[in-house]
Amino acid sequence: MNHRQFGRLGCPVSEIGYGTWGLGGWTGSDDAESLRSLHRAVELGCTFFDTALAYGHGHSERLLGQVVRAHPDRRLVVASKVPPKNLKWPAKAEYPAADTYPADHIREFTAASLENLGLERIDLMQLHVWDDSWAADEGWQRAVEALKRDGLIAAFGISVNRWQPENVLKALDTGLIDAVQVVYNVFDQAPEDVLFPACRARGVAVIARVPFDEGTLTGTLTRDSRWPEGDWRNVYFSPENLAASVARAEALAPLVPDGATLPELALRFILSCPDVTTVIPGMRKTRHVEANLAASDRGPLPPALIAALRAHRWDRVVQHAP
Ligand SMILES: NC(=O)c1ccc[n+]([C@@H]2O[C@H](COP(=O)([O-])OP(=O)(O)OC[C@H]3O[C@@H](n4cnc5c(N)ncnc54)[C@H](OP(=O)(O)O)[C@@H]3O)[C@@H](O)[C@H]2O)c1
C-alpha cells in the first residue's frame, strides 16, 4: 500500500481508503461481514476511513469506531460528516446558511459523531453538503475554529455536491478548509479543470469519492439491474441513466489491460492523478476490499492509457443528481 501526505494534517494516509456509506445499511448489508471487511482492510494497510452520521443514523460510525478502537497500535485516520440541519440533500443556494449549518448544530452533531465513534477526537470533520454562497457566513466559521481550538477535530473539510466540483472555491479562500471530498472517476473528470489546481495551490487534501460511479465502473451492472424497493440506487439509476451508464462502461472493456479488471482500471486512473490524496471505494464485502486495496501496488496507468480514458469523460447535468 502506497501512502500520500494528507495536506495540512501532516500525516500520511493510505492512497486507497475505505468508504463506509454502504455498511450503514444499504440493502443486503450484514454487520458481521462489514466488520470482517473493515478489519481486513486494516490488516492490508488501509489507514483512511470515511463515514458520516447520516449513514444509517450513526450505524456506520459505530461499526467503524469499534474497528478503530480495536487497533490502538495503528494510526488510523477517521473522517466523518455533519448532516445539514434542514436535512436537504443536495445543498442549494436558496437554503440560508443559518438553516443548514448554524454553529450550535455543527457542535452538537460533532459531539454525536464522537460518541458514535467512541473516540476523543475526529481527524477530519466535513460538512456533508455545501453551497458556496455560504462561504462568508460566520456561523460555520466560528464552529470550525472552536472545534479545532478545543481539540475535538484535527482538520475540517467539505464534501462537494455531486457534479459541482467548483461549488467550493470561495470556501477554500477562507483558509479554514483542509480537505475537499469530490466525485472523481473515469467518467467524472471535471475536478481536474479548476478544483484540483486550487487545492494544490492551497495545500488542501483531495478525497476522491464514488470511484465506481456507484457501481457502473465495477462492470457488474446490466441494463436490467434493479434493487429492492427503497434502495436509493433505483433513484440514481433511473432507466435512462442505467442504460447510458452501462453502455459507457461497456465501451471501456477494450481498454482494460490483460489480466486486470475494470474496478482496478478505475482505481488506478484516479491514483494516476497526483492531486488525489486518497480514493475511498465503498466496500462491504471482503473480496472487494482485497481486490481494491491491491490496486495500489500496480501503480499509475501508462500515459497512453490515461490519454485514451480522457475520451470517456462524461460531464453530467446537475439537476439529474439525486
Ligand atoms: N455526499 C457525500 O459526501 C458522499 C456521497 C457518496 C459517497 N460518499 C463516500 O464515498 C464512498 C464511495 O462511494 P459509494 O460507496 O457511494 O460508491 P462506489 O465506491 O462508486 O461504489 C460502491 C459499490 O461498488 C461495489 N464494489 C466495490 N468494490 C468492488 C469490486 N472490486 N468489484 C465489484 N464491485 C465492487 C460495492 O459493493 P459492496 O458494498 O457490496 O462491497 C458497492 O456496491 C462512500 O462509501 C462514502 O464514504 C460520500
Side-chain angles (χ1 to χ4, degrees), residues 18-22 26 50-51 55 81 89 128 159-160 162 181 209-215 218 220 232-233 263 280-285 287-288 291-292:
Y18 199 121
T20 69
W21 180 13
W26 284 8
D50 177 70
T51 183
Y55 298 164
K81 308 186 195 83
W89 270 268
H128 208 145
S159 186
V160 185
R162 197 185 290 270
Q181 183 174 139
R209 79 171 192 253
V210 195
F212 304 132
D213 184 38
E214 309 293 3
T218 64
T220 57
W232 74 278
R233 286 168 292 188
I280 49 167
M283 307 179 275
R284 292 171 299 169
K285 301 196 175 63
R287 68 171 191 279
H288 291 160
N292 294 341

mmCIF file of all heavy atoms in Angstrom, residues 18-22 26 50-51 55 81 89 128 159-160 162 181 209-215 218 220 232-233 263 280-285 287-288 291-292, ligand 1:
data_model
loop_
_atom_site.group_PDB
_atom_site.id
_atom_site.type_symbol
_atom_site.label_atom_id
_atom_site.label_comp_id
_atom_site.label_asym_id
_atom_site.label_seq_id
_atom_site.Cartn_x
_atom_site.Cartn_y
_atom_site.Cartn_z
ATOM 1 N N TYR A 18 -11.226 3.865 2.598
ATOM 2 C CA TYR A 18 -12.396 2.994 2.721
ATOM 3 C C TYR A 18 -13.655 3.865 2.849
ATOM 4 O O TYR A 18 -13.757 4.668 3.774
ATOM 5 C CB TYR A 18 -12.219 2.146 3.989
ATOM 6 C CG TYR A 18 -13.057 0.902 4.082
ATOM 7 C CD1 TYR A 18 -12.463 -0.354 4.220
ATOM 8 C CD2 TYR A 18 -14.441 0.964 4.048
ATOM 9 C CE1 TYR A 18 -13.220 -1.505 4.326
ATOM 10 C CE2 TYR A 18 -15.206 -0.186 4.148
ATOM 11 C CZ TYR A 18 -14.590 -1.415 4.290
ATOM 12 O OH TYR A 18 -15.353 -2.556 4.391
ATOM 13 N N GLY A 19 -14.605 3.704 1.945
ATOM 14 C CA GLY A 19 -15.894 4.398 2.023
ATOM 15 C C GLY A 19 -16.897 3.511 2.745
ATOM 16 O O GLY A 19 -17.047 2.339 2.396
ATOM 17 N N THR A 20 -17.587 4.074 3.734
ATOM 18 C CA THR A 20 -18.442 3.227 4.586
ATOM 19 C C THR A 20 -19.928 3.563 4.504
ATOM 20 O O THR A 20 -20.690 3.212 5.400
ATOM 21 C CB THR A 20 -18.006 3.326 6.074
ATOM 22 O OG1 THR A 20 -18.328 4.646 6.544
ATOM 23 C CG2 THR A 20 -16.532 3.060 6.262
ATOM 24 N N TRP A 21 -20.341 4.243 3.435
ATOM 25 C CA TRP A 21 -21.769 4.549 3.297
ATOM 26 C C TRP A 21 -22.591 3.254 3.280
ATOM 27 O O TRP A 21 -23.549 3.084 4.037
ATOM 28 C CB TRP A 21 -21.999 5.370 2.022
ATOM 29 C CG TRP A 21 -23.429 5.757 1.773
ATOM 30 C CD1 TRP A 21 -24.481 5.681 2.638
ATOM 31 C CD2 TRP A 21 -23.954 6.313 0.553
ATOM 32 N NE1 TRP A 21 -25.631 6.159 2.034
ATOM 33 C CE2 TRP A 21 -25.342 6.541 0.768
ATOM 34 C CE3 TRP A 21 -23.403 6.641 -0.679
ATOM 35 C CZ2 TRP A 21 -26.176 7.075 -0.222
ATOM 36 C CZ3 TRP A 21 -24.226 7.174 -1.667
ATOM 37 C CH2 TRP A 21 -25.594 7.391 -1.435
ATOM 38 N N GLY A 22 -22.207 2.327 2.409
ATOM 39 C CA GLY A 22 -22.988 1.101 2.212
ATOM 40 C C GLY A 22 -23.202 0.330 3.498
ATOM 41 O O GLY A 22 -24.290 -0.203 3.743
ATOM 42 N N TRP A 26 -27.185 -0.164 3.385
ATOM 43 C CA TRP A 26 -27.719 -0.411 2.039
ATOM 44 C C TRP A 26 -28.337 -1.809 2.043
ATOM 45 O O TRP A 26 -27.937 -2.673 2.825
ATOM 46 C CB TRP A 26 -26.597 -0.390 0.989
ATOM 47 C CG TRP A 26 -26.082 0.958 0.606
ATOM 48 C CD1 TRP A 26 -26.381 2.153 1.190
ATOM 49 C CD2 TRP A 26 -25.163 1.241 -0.454
ATOM 50 N NE1 TRP A 26 -25.685 3.164 0.550
ATOM 51 C CE2 TRP A 26 -24.949 2.630 -0.461
ATOM 52 C CE3 TRP A 26 -24.504 0.451 -1.399
ATOM 53 C CZ2 TRP A 26 -24.094 3.246 -1.374
ATOM 54 C CZ3 TRP A 26 -23.648 1.054 -2.301
ATOM 55 C CH2 TRP A 26 -23.459 2.456 -2.295
ATOM 56 N N ASP A 50 -13.723 6.863 5.676
ATOM 57 C CA ASP A 50 -14.704 7.942 5.565
ATOM 58 C C ASP A 50 -16.074 7.434 6.007
ATOM 59 O O ASP A 50 -16.565 6.418 5.513
ATOM 60 C CB ASP A 50 -14.787 8.406 4.102
ATOM 61 C CG ASP A 50 -15.853 9.485 3.924
ATOM 62 O OD1 ASP A 50 -15.636 10.607 4.416
ATOM 63 O OD2 ASP A 50 -16.900 9.193 3.317
ATOM 64 N N THR A 51 -16.686 8.168 6.942
ATOM 65 C CA THR A 51 -18.028 7.805 7.379
ATOM 66 C C THR A 51 -18.867 9.066 7.498
ATOM 67 O O THR A 51 -18.449 10.148 7.080
ATOM 68 C CB THR A 51 -17.973 7.002 8.712
ATOM 69 O OG1 THR A 51 -19.287 6.590 9.079
ATOM 70 C CG2 THR A 51 -17.379 7.820 9.850
ATOM 71 N N TYR A 55 -25.045 8.034 7.659
ATOM 72 C CA TYR A 55 -25.004 6.659 7.134
ATOM 73 C C TYR A 55 -25.618 5.713 8.167
ATOM 74 O O TYR A 55 -24.952 5.216 9.088
ATOM 75 C CB TYR A 55 -23.566 6.227 6.808
ATOM 76 C CG TYR A 55 -22.892 7.069 5.743
ATOM 77 C CD1 TYR A 55 -21.512 7.037 5.565
ATOM 78 C CD2 TYR A 55 -23.622 7.897 4.890
ATOM 79 C CE1 TYR A 55 -20.891 7.807 4.589
ATOM 80 C CE2 TYR A 55 -23.009 8.673 3.917
ATOM 81 C CZ TYR A 55 -21.643 8.623 3.781
ATOM 82 O OH TYR A 55 -21.023 9.389 2.828
ATOM 83 N N LYS A 81 -18.874 13.256 8.879
ATOM 84 C CA LYS A 81 -19.573 14.408 8.268
ATOM 85 C C LYS A 81 -20.751 14.848 9.125
ATOM 86 O O LYS A 81 -21.449 14.004 9.692
ATOM 87 C CB LYS A 81 -20.107 14.062 6.875
ATOM 88 C CG LYS A 81 -19.081 13.471 5.948
ATOM 89 C CD LYS A 81 -19.618 13.278 4.543
ATOM 90 C CE LYS A 81 -18.695 12.368 3.760
ATOM 91 N NZ LYS A 81 -18.940 10.934 4.014
ATOM 92 N N TRP A 89 -30.742 17.259 0.902
ATOM 93 C CA TRP A 89 -29.641 16.856 0.027
ATOM 94 C C TRP A 89 -30.107 16.998 -1.406
ATOM 95 O O TRP A 89 -31.223 16.528 -1.698
ATOM 96 C CB TRP A 89 -29.286 15.386 0.244
ATOM 97 C CG TRP A 89 -28.255 15.105 1.286
ATOM 98 C CD1 TRP A 89 -26.911 14.990 1.085
ATOM 99 C CD2 TRP A 89 -28.468 14.833 2.689
ATOM 100 N NE1 TRP A 89 -26.284 14.676 2.275
ATOM 101 C CE2 TRP A 89 -27.213 14.576 3.268
ATOM 102 C CE3 TRP A 89 -29.599 14.807 3.505
ATOM 103 C CZ2 TRP A 89 -27.051 14.278 4.619
ATOM 104 C CZ3 TRP A 89 -29.437 14.515 4.839
ATOM 105 C CH2 TRP A 89 -28.187 14.261 5.379
ATOM 106 N N HIS A 128 -21.502 17.732 5.176
ATOM 107 C CA HIS A 128 -21.964 16.693 4.240
ATOM 108 C C HIS A 128 -22.491 17.286 2.931
ATOM 109 O O HIS A 128 -22.513 16.609 1.898
ATOM 110 C CB HIS A 128 -23.034 15.824 4.911
ATOM 111 C CG HIS A 128 -23.093 14.435 4.388
ATOM 112 N ND1 HIS A 128 -23.385 13.337 5.166
ATOM 113 C CD2 HIS A 128 -22.887 13.931 3.147
ATOM 114 C CE1 HIS A 128 -23.374 12.250 4.413
ATOM 115 N NE2 HIS A 128 -23.080 12.574 3.185
ATOM 116 N N SER A 159 -17.626 18.236 1.759
ATOM 117 C CA SER A 159 -17.959 17.264 0.733
ATOM 118 C C SER A 159 -18.807 17.992 -0.314
ATOM 119 O O SER A 159 -19.887 18.490 -0.020
ATOM 120 C CB SER A 159 -18.743 16.102 1.357
ATOM 121 O OG SER A 159 -18.936 15.117 0.387
ATOM 122 N N VAL A 160 -18.276 18.068 -1.506
ATOM 123 C CA VAL A 160 -18.868 18.888 -2.566
ATOM 124 C C VAL A 160 -20.037 18.144 -3.205
ATOM 125 O O VAL A 160 -19.988 16.921 -3.375
ATOM 126 C CB VAL A 160 -17.791 19.187 -3.643
ATOM 127 C CG1 VAL A 160 -18.323 20.127 -4.697
ATOM 128 C CG2 VAL A 160 -16.544 19.759 -3.009
ATOM 129 N N ARG A 162 -22.469 16.398 -5.786
ATOM 130 C CA ARG A 162 -22.196 15.610 -6.988
ATOM 131 C C ARG A 162 -22.270 16.500 -8.237
ATOM 132 O O ARG A 162 -23.208 17.281 -8.394
ATOM 133 C CB ARG A 162 -23.277 14.526 -7.099
ATOM 134 C CG ARG A 162 -22.950 13.386 -8.028
ATOM 135 C CD ARG A 162 -24.147 12.458 -8.135
ATOM 136 N NE ARG A 162 -24.409 11.696 -6.924
ATOM 137 C CZ ARG A 162 -23.892 10.500 -6.653
ATOM 138 N NH1 ARG A 162 -23.047 9.924 -7.473
ATOM 139 N NH2 ARG A 162 -24.216 9.863 -5.537
ATOM 140 N N GLN A 181 -13.855 16.708 -0.434
ATOM 141 C CA GLN A 181 -14.249 15.378 -0.913
ATOM 142 C C GLN A 181 -15.115 15.572 -2.159
ATOM 143 O O GLN A 181 -16.105 16.305 -2.130
ATOM 144 C CB GLN A 181 -15.038 14.636 0.166
ATOM 145 C CG GLN A 181 -15.392 13.247 -0.285
ATOM 146 C CD GLN A 181 -16.063 12.379 0.762
ATOM 147 O OE1 GLN A 181 -17.003 11.660 0.419
ATOM 148 N NE2 GLN A 181 -15.593 12.396 1.978
ATOM 149 N N ARG A 209 -14.184 10.500 -4.149
ATOM 150 C CA ARG A 209 -15.248 9.578 -3.749
ATOM 151 C C ARG A 209 -15.971 9.023 -4.983
ATOM 152 O O ARG A 209 -15.803 9.526 -6.088
ATOM 153 C CB ARG A 209 -16.223 10.285 -2.808
ATOM 154 C CG ARG A 209 -17.220 11.202 -3.482
ATOM 155 C CD ARG A 209 -18.263 11.654 -2.459
ATOM 156 N NE ARG A 209 -19.395 12.301 -3.052
ATOM 157 C CZ ARG A 209 -19.635 13.620 -2.976
ATOM 158 N NH1 ARG A 209 -18.792 14.415 -2.360
ATOM 159 N NH2 ARG A 209 -20.716 14.115 -3.533
ATOM 160 N N VAL A 210 -16.766 7.970 -4.737
ATOM 161 C CA VAL A 210 -17.575 7.318 -5.775
ATOM 162 C C VAL A 210 -16.707 6.899 -6.985
ATOM 163 O O VAL A 210 -17.022 7.224 -8.131
ATOM 164 C CB VAL A 210 -18.761 8.211 -6.203
ATOM 165 C CG1 VAL A 210 -19.786 7.410 -6.983
ATOM 166 C CG2 VAL A 210 -19.468 8.835 -4.991
ATOM 167 N N PRO A 211 -15.622 6.163 -6.717
ATOM 168 C CA PRO A 211 -14.698 5.797 -7.801
ATOM 169 C C PRO A 211 -15.334 4.901 -8.856
ATOM 170 O O PRO A 211 -14.853 4.850 -9.991
ATOM 171 C CB PRO A 211 -13.563 5.067 -7.076
ATOM 172 C CG PRO A 211 -14.177 4.587 -5.791
ATOM 173 C CD PRO A 211 -15.165 5.643 -5.412
ATOM 174 N N PHE A 212 -16.414 4.200 -8.467
ATOM 175 C CA PHE A 212 -17.047 3.269 -9.414
ATOM 176 C C PHE A 212 -18.375 3.805 -9.935
ATOM 177 O O PHE A 212 -19.191 3.036 -10.448
ATOM 178 C CB PHE A 212 -17.260 1.903 -8.740
ATOM 179 C CG PHE A 212 -16.002 1.289 -8.187
ATOM 180 C CD1 PHE A 212 -15.962 0.773 -6.901
ATOM 181 C CD2 PHE A 212 -14.848 1.234 -8.952
ATOM 182 C CE1 PHE A 212 -14.800 0.209 -6.385
ATOM 183 C CE2 PHE A 212 -13.677 0.674 -8.450
ATOM 184 C CZ PHE A 212 -13.654 0.160 -7.169
ATOM 185 N N ASP A 213 -18.605 5.121 -9.796
ATOM 186 C CA ASP A 213 -19.876 5.697 -10.241
ATOM 187 C C ASP A 213 -21.052 4.911 -9.646
ATOM 188 O O ASP A 213 -22.010 4.597 -10.340
ATOM 189 C CB ASP A 213 -19.949 5.732 -11.783
ATOM 190 C CG ASP A 213 -21.216 6.424 -12.277
ATOM 191 O OD1 ASP A 213 -21.635 7.412 -11.654
ATOM 192 O OD2 ASP A 213 -21.808 5.944 -13.272
ATOM 193 N N GLU A 214 -20.936 4.575 -8.370
ATOM 194 C CA GLU A 214 -21.980 3.839 -7.630
ATOM 195 C C GLU A 214 -22.173 2.417 -8.161
ATOM 196 O O GLU A 214 -23.193 1.796 -7.869
ATOM 197 C CB GLU A 214 -23.327 4.590 -7.636
ATOM 198 C CG GLU A 214 -23.273 6.043 -7.201
ATOM 199 C CD GLU A 214 -22.915 6.253 -5.721
ATOM 200 O OE1 GLU A 214 -22.650 5.262 -5.043
ATOM 201 O OE2 GLU A 214 -22.879 7.421 -5.284
ATOM 202 N N GLY A 215 -21.262 1.910 -8.938
ATOM 203 C CA GLY A 215 -21.365 0.523 -9.405
ATOM 204 C C GLY A 215 -21.110 0.351 -10.885
ATOM 205 O O GLY A 215 -20.640 -0.699 -11.335
ATOM 206 N N THR A 218 -17.732 -0.890 -11.899
ATOM 207 C CA THR A 218 -17.281 -2.219 -11.490
ATOM 208 C C THR A 218 -17.553 -3.226 -12.606
ATOM 209 O O THR A 218 -17.080 -4.353 -12.563
ATOM 210 C CB THR A 218 -18.014 -2.715 -10.214
ATOM 211 O OG1 THR A 218 -19.407 -2.865 -10.528
ATOM 212 C CG2 THR A 218 -17.837 -1.758 -9.053
ATOM 213 N N THR A 220 -20.358 -4.649 -13.136
ATOM 214 C CA THR A 220 -21.298 -5.690 -12.698
ATOM 215 C C THR A 220 -22.761 -5.328 -12.985
ATOM 216 O O THR A 220 -23.640 -6.150 -12.784
ATOM 217 C CB THR A 220 -21.161 -5.950 -11.173
ATOM 218 O OG1 THR A 220 -21.381 -4.710 -10.487
ATOM 219 C CG2 THR A 220 -19.792 -6.490 -10.824
ATOM 220 N N TRP A 232 -31.805 3.375 -2.565
ATOM 221 C CA TRP A 232 -31.642 4.661 -3.240
ATOM 222 C C TRP A 232 -31.104 4.511 -4.668
ATOM 223 O O TRP A 232 -31.272 5.399 -5.496
ATOM 224 C CB TRP A 232 -30.699 5.564 -2.413
ATOM 225 C CG TRP A 232 -29.283 5.138 -2.512
ATOM 226 C CD1 TRP A 232 -28.667 4.157 -1.814
ATOM 227 C CD2 TRP A 232 -28.322 5.665 -3.428
ATOM 228 N NE1 TRP A 232 -27.375 4.017 -2.238
ATOM 229 C CE2 TRP A 232 -27.145 4.940 -3.226
ATOM 230 C CE3 TRP A 232 -28.343 6.676 -4.395
ATOM 231 C CZ2 TRP A 232 -25.989 5.183 -3.956
ATOM 232 C CZ3 TRP A 232 -27.187 6.911 -5.123
ATOM 233 C CH2 TRP A 232 -26.035 6.181 -4.900
ATOM 234 N N ARG A 233 -30.471 3.350 -4.955
ATOM 235 C CA ARG A 233 -29.896 3.195 -6.300
ATOM 236 C C ARG A 233 -30.955 3.084 -7.397
ATOM 237 O O ARG A 233 -30.682 3.353 -8.555
ATOM 238 C CB ARG A 233 -28.935 1.999 -6.323
ATOM 239 C CG ARG A 233 -27.627 2.334 -5.614
ATOM 240 C CD ARG A 233 -26.783 1.123 -5.365
ATOM 241 N NE ARG A 233 -27.410 0.243 -4.372
ATOM 242 C CZ ARG A 233 -26.819 -0.822 -3.857
ATOM 243 N NH1 ARG A 233 -25.607 -1.153 -4.233
ATOM 244 N NH2 ARG A 233 -27.432 -1.573 -2.961
ATOM 245 N N PRO A 263 -12.720 -2.587 -12.229
ATOM 246 C CA PRO A 263 -12.525 -1.831 -10.981
ATOM 247 C C PRO A 263 -11.068 -1.421 -10.751
ATOM 248 O O PRO A 263 -10.790 -0.314 -10.289
ATOM 249 C CB PRO A 263 -12.999 -2.796 -9.890
ATOM 250 C CG PRO A 263 -13.859 -3.796 -10.556
ATOM 251 C CD PRO A 263 -13.424 -3.863 -11.999
ATOM 252 N N ILE A 280 -11.708 6.626 -2.006
ATOM 253 C CA ILE A 280 -12.460 5.855 -0.991
ATOM 254 C C ILE A 280 -13.549 4.973 -1.625
ATOM 255 O O ILE A 280 -14.732 5.304 -1.559
ATOM 256 C CB ILE A 280 -13.071 6.795 0.071
ATOM 257 C CG1 ILE A 280 -13.841 7.978 -0.574
ATOM 258 C CG2 ILE A 280 -11.983 7.338 0.991
ATOM 259 C CD1 ILE A 280 -14.727 8.739 0.426
ATOM 260 N N PRO A 281 -13.163 3.840 -2.220
ATOM 261 C CA PRO A 281 -14.206 2.941 -2.734
ATOM 262 C C PRO A 281 -15.119 2.476 -1.601
ATOM 263 O O PRO A 281 -14.663 2.208 -0.492
ATOM 264 C CB PRO A 281 -13.401 1.755 -3.305
ATOM 265 C CG PRO A 281 -12.057 1.828 -2.645
ATOM 266 C CD PRO A 281 -11.815 3.279 -2.361
ATOM 267 N N GLY A 282 -16.415 2.399 -1.909
ATOM 268 C CA GLY A 282 -17.367 1.855 -0.945
ATOM 269 C C GLY A 282 -17.274 0.335 -0.990
ATOM 270 O O GLY A 282 -17.296 -0.265 -2.062
ATOM 271 N N MET A 283 -17.146 -0.296 0.195
ATOM 272 C CA MET A 283 -16.932 -1.754 0.216
ATOM 273 C C MET A 283 -17.609 -2.344 1.439
ATOM 274 O O MET A 283 -17.483 -1.813 2.538
ATOM 275 C CB MET A 283 -15.424 -2.066 0.315
ATOM 276 C CG MET A 283 -14.580 -1.378 -0.728
ATOM 277 S SD MET A 283 -12.815 -1.726 -0.600
ATOM 278 C CE MET A 283 -12.263 -0.527 0.601
ATOM 279 N N ARG A 284 -18.342 -3.439 1.207
ATOM 280 C CA ARG A 284 -18.862 -4.203 2.341
ATOM 281 C C ARG A 284 -18.298 -5.612 2.316
ATOM 282 O O ARG A 284 -18.188 -6.254 3.343
ATOM 283 C CB ARG A 284 -20.401 -4.245 2.278
ATOM 284 C CG ARG A 284 -21.030 -2.882 2.528
ATOM 285 C CD ARG A 284 -22.502 -2.893 2.249
ATOM 286 N NE ARG A 284 -22.741 -3.221 0.843
ATOM 287 C CZ ARG A 284 -23.927 -3.517 0.334
ATOM 288 N NH1 ARG A 284 -24.989 -3.549 1.113
ATOM 289 N NH2 ARG A 284 -24.059 -3.773 -0.955
ATOM 290 N N LYS A 285 -17.941 -6.094 1.134
ATOM 291 C CA LYS A 285 -17.501 -7.483 1.014
ATOM 292 C C LYS A 285 -15.976 -7.569 1.085
ATOM 293 O O LYS A 285 -15.262 -6.749 0.481
ATOM 294 C CB LYS A 285 -17.978 -8.058 -0.314
ATOM 295 C CG LYS A 285 -19.496 -7.984 -0.416
ATOM 296 C CD LYS A 285 -20.054 -8.863 -1.497
ATOM 297 C CE LYS A 285 -21.568 -8.831 -1.450
ATOM 298 N NZ LYS A 285 -22.121 -7.488 -1.711
ATOM 299 N N ARG A 287 -13.977 -9.640 -0.268
ATOM 300 C CA ARG A 287 -13.309 -9.853 -1.564
ATOM 301 C C ARG A 287 -13.128 -8.528 -2.299
ATOM 302 O O ARG A 287 -12.156 -8.340 -3.033
ATOM 303 C CB ARG A 287 -14.039 -10.902 -2.419
ATOM 304 C CG ARG A 287 -15.390 -10.516 -2.917
ATOM 305 C CD ARG A 287 -15.920 -11.547 -3.940
ATOM 306 N NE ARG A 287 -17.108 -11.041 -4.598
ATOM 307 C CZ ARG A 287 -18.337 -11.088 -4.069
ATOM 308 N NH1 ARG A 287 -18.528 -11.643 -2.889
ATOM 309 N NH2 ARG A 287 -19.371 -10.592 -4.730
ATOM 310 N N HIS A 288 -14.038 -7.591 -2.099
ATOM 311 C CA HIS A 288 -13.871 -6.276 -2.717
ATOM 312 C C HIS A 288 -12.729 -5.515 -2.048
ATOM 313 O O HIS A 288 -11.946 -4.836 -2.721
ATOM 314 C CB HIS A 288 -15.173 -5.470 -2.618
ATOM 315 C CG HIS A 288 -16.268 -6.031 -3.474
ATOM 316 N ND1 HIS A 288 -17.592 -5.744 -3.265
ATOM 317 C CD2 HIS A 288 -16.225 -6.868 -4.551
ATOM 318 C CE1 HIS A 288 -18.324 -6.373 -4.168
ATOM 319 N NE2 HIS A 288 -17.526 -7.073 -4.957
ATOM 320 N N ALA A 291 -9.451 -7.039 -3.390
ATOM 321 C CA ALA A 291 -9.188 -6.680 -4.794
ATOM 322 C C ALA A 291 -8.825 -5.191 -4.909
ATOM 323 O O ALA A 291 -7.857 -4.827 -5.588
ATOM 324 C CB ALA A 291 -10.419 -6.984 -5.648
ATOM 325 N N ASN A 292 -9.577 -4.353 -4.220
ATOM 326 C CA ASN A 292 -9.370 -2.907 -4.394
ATOM 327 C C ASN A 292 -8.047 -2.437 -3.779
ATOM 328 O O ASN A 292 -7.332 -1.621 -4.373
ATOM 329 C CB ASN A 292 -10.535 -2.117 -3.792
ATOM 330 C CG ASN A 292 -11.834 -2.369 -4.540
ATOM 331 O OD1 ASN A 292 -11.828 -2.834 -5.691
ATOM 332 N ND2 ASN A 292 -12.954 -2.087 -3.909
HETATM 333 N N1 LIG B 1 -22.126 13.296 -0.217
HETATM 334 C C1 LIG B 1 -21.097 12.573 0.202
HETATM 335 O O1 LIG B 1 -20.311 13.050 0.980
HETATM 336 C C2 LIG B 1 -20.899 11.188 -0.336
HETATM 337 C C3 LIG B 1 -21.746 10.688 -1.338
HETATM 338 C C4 LIG B 1 -21.464 9.414 -1.855
HETATM 339 C C5 LIG B 1 -20.399 8.687 -1.354
HETATM 340 N N2 LIG B 1 -19.598 9.189 -0.357
HETATM 341 C C6 LIG B 1 -18.454 8.405 0.197
HETATM 342 O O2 LIG B 1 -17.760 7.803 -0.879
HETATM 343 C C7 LIG B 1 -17.712 6.365 -0.689
HETATM 344 C C8 LIG B 1 -17.691 5.664 -2.031
HETATM 345 O O3 LIG B 1 -18.871 5.893 -2.762
HETATM 346 P P1 LIG B 1 -20.025 4.790 -2.914
HETATM 347 O O4 LIG B 1 -19.822 3.705 -1.911
HETATM 348 O O5 LIG B 1 -21.310 5.523 -2.906
HETATM 349 O O6 LIG B 1 -19.828 4.264 -4.417
HETATM 350 P P2 LIG B 1 -18.665 3.488 -5.203
HETATM 351 O O7 LIG B 1 -17.445 3.411 -4.352
HETATM 352 O O8 LIG B 1 -18.560 4.107 -6.536
HETATM 353 O O9 LIG B 1 -19.312 2.033 -5.405
HETATM 354 C C9 LIG B 1 -19.589 1.197 -4.322
HETATM 355 C C10 LIG B 1 -20.180 -0.097 -4.874
HETATM 356 O O10 LIG B 1 -19.169 -0.825 -5.584
HETATM 357 C C11 LIG B 1 -19.138 -2.165 -5.112
HETATM 358 N N3 LIG B 1 -17.741 -2.630 -5.236
HETATM 359 C C12 LIG B 1 -16.662 -2.157 -4.542
HETATM 360 N N4 LIG B 1 -15.538 -2.780 -4.974
HETATM 361 C C13 LIG B 1 -15.908 -3.649 -5.942
HETATM 362 C C14 LIG B 1 -15.180 -4.570 -6.738
HETATM 363 N N5 LIG B 1 -13.859 -4.704 -6.650
HETATM 364 N N6 LIG B 1 -15.882 -5.310 -7.644
HETATM 365 C C15 LIG B 1 -17.237 -5.183 -7.767
HETATM 366 N N7 LIG B 1 -17.979 -4.322 -7.023
HETATM 367 C C16 LIG B 1 -17.309 -3.560 -6.107
HETATM 368 C C17 LIG B 1 -19.621 -2.112 -3.682
HETATM 369 O O11 LIG B 1 -20.107 -3.366 -3.297
HETATM 370 P P3 LIG B 1 -20.205 -3.868 -1.754
HETATM 371 O O12 LIG B 1 -20.695 -2.691 -0.955
HETATM 372 O O13 LIG B 1 -21.200 -4.955 -1.820
HETATM 373 O O14 LIG B 1 -18.842 -4.327 -1.308
HETATM 374 C C18 LIG B 1 -20.691 -1.025 -3.782
HETATM 375 O O15 LIG B 1 -21.898 -1.588 -4.250
HETATM 376 C C19 LIG B 1 -18.960 6.102 0.181
HETATM 377 O O16 LIG B 1 -18.920 4.838 0.792
HETATM 378 C C20 LIG B 1 -18.902 7.279 1.124
HETATM 379 O O17 LIG B 1 -17.925 7.047 2.144
HETATM 380 C C21 LIG B 1 -19.827 10.437 0.142
#
